[in-house]
Amino acid sequence: MKRYSVILLLWMGLALQVWAHKSSDAYLEVALTNGVASVRLDVALRDLQEVFALDADEDTTITWGEVRTQAKELSAYVGSRLHFEQAGEAIEWQPWSMAVTHHTDGGYLAFESQVQIPKGTTHLDVRYGLLFDVDAQHRGLASFRQSPGSGGSVPFVFGPTQRTFTWNLTVPTRVTFGQFIVEGIHHIWTGYDHMMFLLALLLPAVLWRGSEGRWMGVGCLGVALREVIKVVTAFTLAHSLTLFAAAMGWISLPSRWVESAIAVSVVVAALGNLIPRRQAAKGREGLSLRGILRRWGSNPAVMAFGFGLIHGFGFASVLGELALDRASFGWGVLGFNLGVEMGQLAVVLLFIPVAYGLRETWFYRRIALQGGSAAIVAVAAAWLLERSCGLAFMPF
């Protein structure tokens, strides 16, 4: 049991490191028309703050005036970290213009410029090196679009081990399916709200409530696995439906609503672990929060499906930031969703065996289940306040 406890503590420590910092994202769009590449790069102000200390008055709000005072340094930084090369020779940029814009997760600084591509260029190497020195998990989500009729656009994800994209200008562009699988795995592992929701549903999978309301360990691993399969399948089905619908533009919800609802889902899922899993009493309690939590807690698969619909909109927001054509978007959605499922499966395979081994211990029932669920409620409640009121006080 001591060995299992150490393993679980290490697992939880790794999870906390993942949740403690949301990896940074930047968005790169390149459109090639008549030999001129128009480039736009959006970088989060909160990430640039880590490099330039833009918030000079330290009031937690970065203004255009504060950005403008370091305009030359910002332009030089981007110019030194983003390169277009032809046959090993760097291509000169035109001067950068800058403007503050907004994405679903806050304020960004948009850099725009143009590059004259030499005649006869068949392959263009794009080298990307932003922010990796301050955030090892940084990703650059890119979209490359050729002139009309040449094959549309191609998505690409720059990362610590994938910093160069070779753009073949002589053939129609192709979707990098494997890159979006990797990005889906990365997103579920660094999507702290999605991970906490999944963990809240997995924590009680190896337990059941006895007649006196006490948590008891399940009799065999097969029982726990059946419960997990139902929960994960329901969550997968639900978020796949809304991910596809939102990504294709069939349904659109305000990002503040979606992010706030995701925070609510985490609160409710974790609270369900703190309410006895028995049939809610009829009458007044059945309409109370406690009664609702009891009914939902008695069927985690129903909770996973209901809130999974909301989480799908959150997954779609990552892809929605890219200006991709419909064909590219379809493949991107498929690869991204497959990566999310692979990431979820990895979580289950890591967590369930350890949880099963500890299911009969005081440590698991009190510290992991009840203490962990209470901590998740506290963090998610803070997210809800932050997201619903437009505040920014959480460090992650």
Side-chain angles (χ1 to χ4, degrees):
M1 287 301 128
K2 290 183 179 179
R3 181 169 57 188
Y4 278 121
S5 298
V6 171
I7 293 173
L8 183 62
L9 286 172
L10 289 174
W11 189 95
M12 293 177 70
L14 174 62
L16 288 173
Q17 288 181 1
V18 170
W19 297 329
H21 175 65
K22 178 184 182 295
S23 61
S24 58
D25 296 322
Y27 303 96
L28 174 66
E29 296 180 20
V30 182
L32 181 61
T33 304
N34 297 325
V36 177
S38 299
V39 181
R40 172 169 172 160
L41 175 67
D42 290 10
V43 186
L45 289 170
R46 64 176 180 274
D47 298 326
L48 291 172
Q49 168 70 14
E50 297 293 321
V51 181
F52 292 96
L54 296 174
D55 188 13
D57 56 10
E58 299 183 350
D59 63 351
T60 71
T61 300
I62 300 174
T63 66
W64 172 244
E66 291 172 323
V67 170
R68 189 169 52 188
T69 61
Q70 299 192 55
K72 291 183 179 180
E73 292 82 358
L74 289 164
S75 295
Y77 176 77
V78 171
S80 67
R81 303 300 178 96
L82 182 62
H83 301 277
F84 281 14
E85 298 180 0
Q86 190 267 332
E89 295 292 331
I91 303 175
E92 293 295 327
W93 299 93
Q94 293 184 13
W96 290 97
S97 64
M98 290 183 292
V100 174
T101 186
H102 286 82
H103 289 251
T104 58
D105 57 344
Y108 278 66
L109 188 59
F111 298 84
E112 293 189 357
S113 184
Q114 290 185 330
V115 179
Q116 182 71 46
I117 306 301
K119 292 183 179 180
T121 299
T122 59
H123 292 79
L124 189 65
D125 291 327
V126 182
R127 302 190 185 279
Y128 181 97
L130 273 76
L131 298 173
F132 292 125
D133 51 344
V134 296
D135 183 1
Q137 300 184 64
H138 175 72
R139 293 293 186 276
L141 306 181
S143 171
F144 298 91
R145 183 183 300 277
Q146 297 186 28
S147 57
S150 62
S153 63
V154 58
F156 188 81
V157 181
F158 292 101
T161 60
Q162 190 71 37
R163 303 191 183 192
T164 301
F165 172 70
T166 300
W167 193 5
N168 189 338
L169 305 181
T170 64
V171 299
T173 52
R174 296 288 186 268
V175 174
T176 52
F177 185 72
Q179 281 290 322
F180 274 88
I181 293 178
V182 173
E183 186 60 23
I185 296 173
H186 173 264
H187 183 71
I188 192 65
W189 271 96
T190 58
Y192 40 83
D193 44 7
H194 304 300
M195 283 282 284
M196 280 193 176
F197 178 74
L198 183 60
L199 180 60
L201 296 178
L202 291 178
L203 277 169
V206 295
L207 301 171
W208 65 283
R209 282 282 190 180
S211 58
E212 298 180 357
R214 295 179 57 190
W215 286 108
M216 310 288 289
V218 297
C220 66
L221 183 59
V223 173
L225 289 177
R226 283 196 296 271
E227 181 74 9
V228 170
I229 289 172
K230 288 192 295 183
V231 168
V232 174
T233 300
F235 185 58
T236 296
L237 178 60
H239 75 63
S240 296
L241 290 173
T242 47
L243 168 61
F244 185 77
M248 298 304 291
W250 299 341
I251 304 175
S252 178
L253 296 177
S255 61
R256 177 174 291 186
W257 292 9
V258 171
E259 296 302 318
S260 298
I262 289 175
V264 169
S265 75
V266 180
V267 170
V268 173
L271 277 178
N273 296 337
L274 304 176
I275 302 296
R277 286 192 178 193
R278 59 178 183 267
Q279 184 65 33
K282 294 182 179 180
R284 187 173 300 174
E285 188 187 29
L287 297 177
S288 67
L289 175 61
R290 185 180 181 87
I292 292 171
L293 289 173
R294 279 180 171 176
R295 285 199 298 272
W296 278 54
S298 66
N299 195 340
V302 174
M303 182 184 296
F305 184 86
F307 283 128
L309 295 172
I310 298 298
H311 282 250
F313 289 106
F315 291 140
S317 66
V318 177
L319 296 173
E321 300 286 0
L322 295 176
L324 304 177
D325 58 63
R326 185 170 293 271
S328 296
F329 219 116
W331 283 108
V333 169
L334 180 60
F336 183 85
N337 198 44
L338 180 58
V340 168
E341 307 321 318
M342 293 171 66
Q344 288 181 173
L345 180 60
V347 173
V348 171
L349 293 177
L350 284 170
F351 180 79
I352 291 301
V354 178
Y356 180 77
L358 287 171
R359 72 194 186 285
E360 298 285 2
T361 65
W362 177 90
F363 169 83
Y364 187 83
R365 298 174 188 173
R366 294 290 186 182
I367 304 300
L369 177 64
Q370 296 184 335
S373 296
I376 291 173
V377 169
V379 172
W383 286 335
L384 177 59
L385 177 63
E386 184 181 62
R387 296 173 183 185
S388 60
C389 298
L391 304 175
F393 57 86
M394 291 287 284
F396 52 91

